[in-house]
Amino acid sequence: MSKTEHNPAYGEHDRDFSVMFAALGDPTRLAIFDRLADGKPRSISVLSDDADMTRQAVTKHLRVLETAGLVQSHKVGRESQYAFCPEQLAEARAYLDQVAGRWESALMRLKTFVEGDQD
């Protein structure tokens, strides 16, 4: 079992976000995601031309991003178009804000403790 399953300090969605962060941890996937972040759907062939890699390689990266909820695909004729999903990113931002708040609180307690010992 992972630490997040047993530690009440972690939120219930922490593991879901780890998938998203892992997906964005790859420089190639991050570049593909960045291309789609302008909101304009693109086909695999357009993304593979821009990325200077094969369609198969781009498809594998897009599947990882889709599994993480960062992009979604839909068929347009015979082609699959991939588009940016801002909802997942907004949820991740809220999660990171929550984590930052916990760290800020812990650092303030540490500061109070350290400064209290100096008197």
Side-chain angles (χ1 to χ4, degrees):
M1 298 266 170
S2 75
K3 292 179 184 178
T4 58
E5 291 174 319
H6 296 294
N7 189 339
Y10 292 101
E12 63 184 62
H13 298 292
D14 291 1
R15 288 179 311 214
D16 297 335
F17 291 119
S18 68
V19 172
M20 185 193 67
F21 294 134
L24 292 175
D26 179 88
T28 302
R29 284 193 290 272
L30 186 58
I32 292 169
F33 179 74
D34 189 48
R35 286 277 296 145
L36 293 171
D38 66 2
K40 182 178 172 187
R42 291 181 177 80
S43 68
I44 294 170
S45 60
V46 168
L47 290 168
S48 63
D49 289 343
D50 292 343
D52 194 32
M53 67 174 80
T54 65
R55 291 171 53 98
Q56 292 82 4
V58 170
T59 300
K60 286 181 182 182
H61 286 295
L62 285 167
R63 285 188 183 136
V64 172
L65 291 169
E66 190 170 25
T67 299
L70 294 165
V71 300
Q72 63 183 16
S73 66
H74 62 279
K75 287 279 195 182
V76 177
R78 296 184 327 175
E79 271 191 334
S80 290
Q81 295 275 318
Y82 285 82
F84 171 67
C85 294
E87 300 83 15
Q88 182 72 1
L89 206 55
E91 289 179 24
R93 173 67 186 249
Y95 166 72
L96 288 174
D97 288 343
Q98 179 185 26
V99 170
R102 289 193 303 241
W103 275 102
E104 185 66 30
S105 176
L107 289 172
M108 290 305 294
R109 287 192 309 272
L110 178 62
K111 179 181 177 186
T112 301
F113 175 76
V114 170
E115 289 176 351
D117 282 350
Q118 293 178 358
D119 291 334

